[in-house]
Amino acid sequence: EHPFLQFCTPMEVPLSLQPATFVPRMLAGAVTLMHRSLKMNDYLLSRRLLQHFPALRGGPTESTVRVAEKFKDLRRYLADGHLQVGTGELLSDELLEMQLGKHFEAELQELVSAIKWQQKSSRHAEGPRETREEAVLLQSLSGPLLTFYVLVDLAVSAAPYSQMSIHLLKKASPYLTSSEVAQ
């Protein structure tokens, strides 16, 4: 079993072709199918749903997929061993930041820009109720607040060692005090 699967949310009921479970899934709306694919961390299916249902493109649902994919990339970067685990010695913040590298910072900024892209592209969401709710949720997230949430989640769930976890928490704290968070 791949170690990254530990971060996947298990399904309540395994997928089955039995009519009792298969038919309701087939008759579900596009947004419901999308949410299900995201819950299963199936980003390939999410992209295929975006291609198949034009109404989902360019709005809050597509933005949600972009944010989820970028977050997955950040978690994978930390979890896949790109970082050298400390040998018990105390590492400086500069060395920890160097271990994260520019790739991590670029991915983090791309994740935040997915939210900003959504806010600019659709101020007034139309369509299914779920899509409107997603738009309201995404518009309520400021860039600094989302950055804070992501860094704290990564520190708690994906950092390969405690010093990196503490470094990510320190890195998150200035975003919480940003003036944009209060808006």
Side-chain angles (χ1 to χ4, degrees):
E1 185 173 298
H2 191 276
F4 192 64
L5 288 177
Q6 69 182 343
F7 300 119
C8 294
T9 305
M11 296 181 291
E12 309 86 50
V13 178
L15 289 179
S16 165
L17 293 178
Q18 297 298 317
T21 58
F22 186 70
V23 172
R25 291 184 198 280
M26 289 301 297
L27 298 177
V31 175
T32 304
L33 291 171
M34 179 64 74
H35 287 169
R36 189 73 187 146
S37 73
L38 290 172
K39 187 173 182 180
M40 295 184 317
N41 295 322
D42 189 344
Y43 303 106
L44 180 60
L45 177 58
S46 299
R47 285 287 166 195
R48 288 176 37 209
L49 288 169
L50 285 172
Q51 289 173 350
H52 188 71
F53 296 104
L56 297 179
R57 286 186 233 146
T61 303
E62 183 174 1
S63 184
T64 301
V65 171
R66 291 176 63 189
V67 167
E69 286 177 324
K70 288 296 170 192
F71 187 65
K72 172 203 60 143
D73 292 343
L74 286 169
R75 288 185 94 148
R76 181 172 285 151
Y77 181 76
L78 287 175
D80 279 352
H82 292 290
L83 304 177
Q84 298 170 354
V85 178
T87 58
E89 63 190 55
L90 202 56
L91 301 173
S92 69
D93 284 342
E94 292 81 22
L95 185 58
L96 290 167
E97 195 63 32
M98 215 168 71
Q99 280 191 2
L100 283 177
K102 293 180 183 177
H103 171 76
F104 179 85
E105 195 64 38
E107 289 287 326
L108 181 62
Q109 291 312 312
E110 281 185 44
L111 187 147
V112 173
S113 71
I115 289 292
K116 290 180 181 177
W117 171 81
Q118 158 52 33
Q119 290 172 340
K120 290 176 186 172
S121 70
S122 94
R123 288 283 177 201
H124 307 288
E126 298 176 11
R129 177 185 55 82
E130 295 97 337
T131 304
R132 290 191 305 273
E133 289 172 357
E134 256 177 317
V136 169
L137 173 65
L138 290 171
Q139 288 174 0
S140 70
L141 285 174
S142 67
L145 186 58
L146 177 63
T147 306
F148 173 79
Y149 287 156
V150 167
L151 288 170
V152 168
D153 190 288
L154 291 172
V156 171
S157 65
Y161 51 95
S162 61
Q163 285 183 0
M164 183 57 73
S165 185
I166 292 168
H167 178 71
L168 289 170
L169 290 171
K170 286 179 186 176
K171 189 175 175 76
S173 109
Y175 290 104
L176 190 59
T177 58
S178 168
S179 62
E180 278 185 57
V181 171
Q183 294 177 354

